[in-house]
Amino acid sequence: MAIINMSMLLELKNVTQTYGAQPVVQDLSLALEEGVIACLLGPSGCGKTTVLRCIAGFEDIHTGEIRLSGSIVSLPGYCLPPERRRISMVFQDYALFPHLTVAGNIRFGLDQLAPAERTRRVEELLEIVGLPGTAGRYPHELSGGQQQRVALARALAPRPRLMLLDEPFSNLDIDLRERLGIEVRELLKREGITALVVTHDQREAFAMADAIGIMHQGYIQQWGTPYDIYHRPVNRFVADFVGQGTLLPGKVLNAHQVQIELGVFEGDFSAPPGAMVDVLIRPDDIVHDDDSPCLATILHKTFRGAEILYTLALANGTRLLSSVPSHHDHPLGERLGIRVDIPHVVAFARK
């Protein structure tokens, strides 16, 4: 008999979903404890929105099972209706009713409450999402960020046990997207709402999530904290998709050392001594150091406000990226002293 983990709010076990003969989600498993904000991050077409639709009950699953608070809600041939799952969903296009006011949109799913209670709940939610005084306005009178807040308030209104957010900020500009991501995270944490977010934007994922699952071709490639996803990618796809970096050729010296042209570095390596590998170097691993004997020539630079991203060339032509505080502003062609500071060396078998 299967053991049910009652501490988990959401569990997916070996879920597969196909459209015709085409698998979209393949043997996918994940689990969320109450109060956790998780994110499925991946390129368009990787299956992440399909996962949300299966969890919400909008689509059947072909294999596996989905549980909420230990109870099965989806099996092949069985699908508990969405309205009985106590799940709210925030869509990419907000899906607000244009003919209803802000208050009308928020109280749309609160018919079970008395009129006075509905009014109190709407006022409470408008305060929570930072839109007091907008109850009588219509969606077209609001900015994109304000419309997204209304959509969020409507999703929170029935006090769901789980909230699903599908590319919630993709229609907003980059700065507003990141700021709203932080605000929504704080709001969900304050309300104690468990949430699963889908996005292709890593900045959005890092701003919101306690845990991130990197999806590719229907599979979760890696599940972990934002720190681990960035600094300890398990394969080349994750390393390439998250952040920037350079792969430098290296040779494994022993189980705990690898040699690249910039020196010998510590790590844990499963490859045998002498094996050729590619070592991942992130821009924040390359530190500007005027006292270092290792010099690199500046080929290109991108100003990013608090930092400058330099493209550097070593004497043998090898290129590196280096993220440097922006008050270290150097011209193209200048030679910089650099040193490598890699807390966690990641190496992949040479292709």
Side-chain angles (χ1 to χ4, degrees):
M1 183 175 180
I3 298 175
I4 299 173
N5 190 341
M6 296 301 294
S7 67
M8 293 296 173
L9 176 66
L10 172 68
E11 292 176 279
L12 278 69
K13 296 181 180 178
N14 308 115
V15 170
T16 297
Q17 170 67 311
T18 62
Y19 296 150
Q22 178 65 37
V24 179
V25 176
Q26 305 188 61
D27 197 32
L28 185 142
S29 297
L30 64 85
L32 294 187
E33 294 183 347
E34 288 196 22
V36 168
I37 301 173
C39 177
L40 292 178
L41 173 65
S44 297
C46 70
K48 53 191 187 295
T49 293
T50 299
V51 174
L52 285 199
R53 293 181 59 82
C54 291
I55 295 170
F58 298 148
E59 295 188 17
D60 297 333
I61 60 175
H62 286 76
T63 68
E65 65 179 43
I66 300 175
R67 292 178 181 265
L68 284 169
S69 300
S71 299
I72 290 177
V73 295
S74 288
L75 285 171
Y78 169 74
C79 185
L80 186 73
E83 64 273 15
R84 294 178 55 193
R85 298 193 178 203
R86 283 189 59 203
I87 291 176
S88 287
M89 193 159 179
V90 178
F91 297 94
Q92 180 177 350
D93 60 359
Y94 318 138
L96 298 177
F97 299 111
H99 63 289
L100 296 181
T101 62
V102 167
N105 270 280
I106 296 174
R107 64 171 173 252
F108 182 77
L110 299 178
D111 291 342
Q112 75 280 9
L113 300 181
E117 289 181 89
R118 288 202 297 268
T119 300
R120 278 197 299 272
R121 182 65 175 153
V122 169
E123 291 174 351
E124 174 190 24
L125 286 164
L126 286 176
E127 287 289 341
I128 288 173
V129 300
L131 291 175
T134 62
R137 298 171 69 181
Y138 286 86
H140 72 271
E141 299 176 300
L142 305 176
S143 69
Q146 289 173 323
Q147 290 182 47
Q148 188 57 281
R149 287 186 171 92
V150 174
L152 187 64
R154 183 178 62 184
L156 288 169
R159 304 184 192 277
R161 55 181 170 181
L162 175 66
M163 184 174 291
L164 306 176
L165 300 97
D166 185 11
E167 299 277 6
F169 311 122
S170 62
N171 292 330
L172 307 176
D173 65 68
I174 291 175
D175 290 338
L176 180 57
R177 196 183 305 167
E178 191 167 1
R179 188 167 73 249
L180 262 183
I182 295 171
E183 291 177 5
V184 170
R185 174 183 168 81
E186 292 175 349
L187 190 157
L188 293 172
K189 289 294 185 182
R190 189 165 65 245
E191 295 293 299
I193 301 292
T194 308
L196 182 61
V197 185
V198 152
T199 183
H200 64 274
D201 186 327
Q202 59 184 276
R203 291 175 61 182
E204 187 177 307
F206 289 163
M208 291 189 68
D210 303 311
I212 296 174
I214 304 295
M215 283 197 69
H216 181 51
Q217 296 179 341
Y219 293 96
I220 291 182
Q221 304 287 315
Q222 183 174 355
W223 183 274
T225 65
Y227 183 92
D228 283 343
I229 293 291
Y230 182 81
H231 285 292
R232 300 187 182 102
V234 298
N235 58 36
R236 289 172 182 267
F237 176 81
V238 177
D240 289 340
F241 189 78
V242 176
Q244 294 175 292
T246 306
L247 290 170
L248 294 186
K251 183 170 77 171
V252 174
L253 301 181
N254 54 58
H256 302 291
Q257 289 184 314
V258 66
Q259 183 174 32
I260 60 176
E261 60 187 285
L262 294 170
V264 175
F265 299 94
E266 305 289 327
D268 294 310
F269 309 105
S270 57
M276 302 306 294
V277 294
D278 290 322
V279 176
L280 176 65
I281 306 293
R282 296 289 196 190
D284 43 313
D285 296 330
I286 304 298
V287 180
H288 177 207
D289 183 353
D290 288 328
D291 296 326
S292 172
C294 181
L295 299 177
T297 303
I298 299 174
L299 300 181
H300 183 73
K301 64 180 186 180
T302 303
F303 185 78
R304 294 183 169 180
E307 63 183 26
I308 296 174
L309 182 66
Y310 286 107
T311 301
L312 306 174
L314 300 178
N316 64 358
T318 298
R319 294 192 177 195
L320 297 169
L321 297 174
S322 179
S323 179
V324 175
S326 61
H327 57 270
H328 293 283
D329 187 14
H330 301 274
L332 299 182
E334 183 175 324
R335 301 183 76 195
L336 290 183
I338 61 170
R339 60 181 170 84
V340 183
D341 182 11
I342 314 178
H344 309 284
V345 175
V346 174
F348 304 111
R350 178 73 57 81
K351 285 188 176 180

